[in-house]
Amino acid sequence: MNDLESRLSRLTSATGGPPVLPAADVSYALHDTQIGTLLLATAAGRVVASSFGDEETMTNRLARAISPRVLRQPAALDDVRRQLDEFLDGRRHEFDLEVDLALATPFQRLVLSDLPSHTSYGRTTTYGRLAGEIDRPKAARAVGTALGANPLCVVLPCHRVIGASGALTGYAGGLDAKRFLLNLESKS
């Protein structure tokens, strides 16, 4: 056995397969959907990201906010991916996932923490109405900005918030994605 073979043999596990990596503090996967590629991430069993952001930016953000141990481990996100696919196929109307707003600012936490209770599947609200419901009636634009940077897109349904005129306004995944989600929900 030469030196290279000897070093490689130390890298294999007792079963002869590749080494098994320990669970990461943050596990993530890229998931292709009808509305685009989402970066999904979990930490301590909670979903911390469902984002349209690019992989490098999001993993750096996760490393800064939660832990530098961020690994691409798709198996850890099987349930999240399954529920997301069911939702996007119209077979699920609510997510049964624990979420953590670790990537959100304090104001985003205020806006996002009760968002599902302010909107329901197939129904929309406006930025102004949502601002009033969180006791910030003059903060409609700030609410829009907070929703535009929602780290848990689709899971926390910021797509259900529209302009006072009924117009579709900004969405991290683009207006086509927002339109898709609203049309999907209106069919049910």
Side-chain angles (χ1 to χ4, degrees):
M1 178 181 292
N2 67 34
D3 185 49
L4 177 61
E5 290 171 327
S6 174
R7 286 186 292 168
L8 288 174
S9 71
R10 289 188 299 240
L11 292 176
T12 60
S13 68
T15 62
V20 176
L21 296 173
D25 292 342
V26 180
S27 298
Y28 81 95
L30 297 177
H31 189 58
D32 291 326
T33 72
Q34 301 96 306
I35 58 173
T37 301
L38 288 165
L39 183 139
L40 306 172
T42 59
R46 293 187 175 113
V47 182
V48 293
S50 174
S51 173
F52 291 100
D54 72 274
E55 183 175 8
E56 183 177 355
T57 300
M58 285 304 299
T59 55
N60 285 334
R61 196 169 162 205
L62 290 162
R64 282 190 313 274
I66 301 170
S67 168
R69 285 182 23 119
V70 178
L71 293 176
R72 191 178 215 176
Q73 293 183 318
L77 290 129
D78 284 348
D79 186 46
V80 178
R81 291 183 302 172
R82 179 185 55 76
Q83 288 192 40
L84 183 61
D85 288 344
E86 290 172 355
F87 183 87
L88 294 173
D89 288 340
R91 296 179 286 134
R92 171 181 288 277
H93 294 181
E94 292 180 7
F95 290 95
D96 183 25
L97 300 167
E98 286 189 57
V99 299
D100 186 327
L101 290 167
L103 297 181
T105 66
F107 186 71
Q108 281 179 301
R109 287 185 186 109
L110 176 66
V111 173
L112 295 169
S113 61
D114 292 329
L115 185 60
S117 67
H118 297 295
T119 64
S120 59
Y121 192 91
R123 299 191 65 197
T124 59
T125 191
T126 66
Y127 298 102
R129 191 175 310 133
L130 183 56
E133 289 175 1
I134 62 168
D135 295 325
R136 302 281 169 75
K138 296 183 180 184
R141 286 187 183 188
V143 166
T145 300
L147 293 175
N150 177 4
L152 290 159
C153 290
V154 185
V155 174
L156 292 181
C158 59
H159 60 273
R160 295 180 188 151
V161 185
I162 60 175
S165 67
L168 298 188
T169 57
Y171 186 65
L175 291 183
D176 287 340
K178 187 170 189 168
R179 192 173 294 108
F180 174 91
L181 291 164
L182 293 173
N183 287 340
L184 171 74
E185 292 185 16
S186 71
K187 292 176 184 174
S188 296

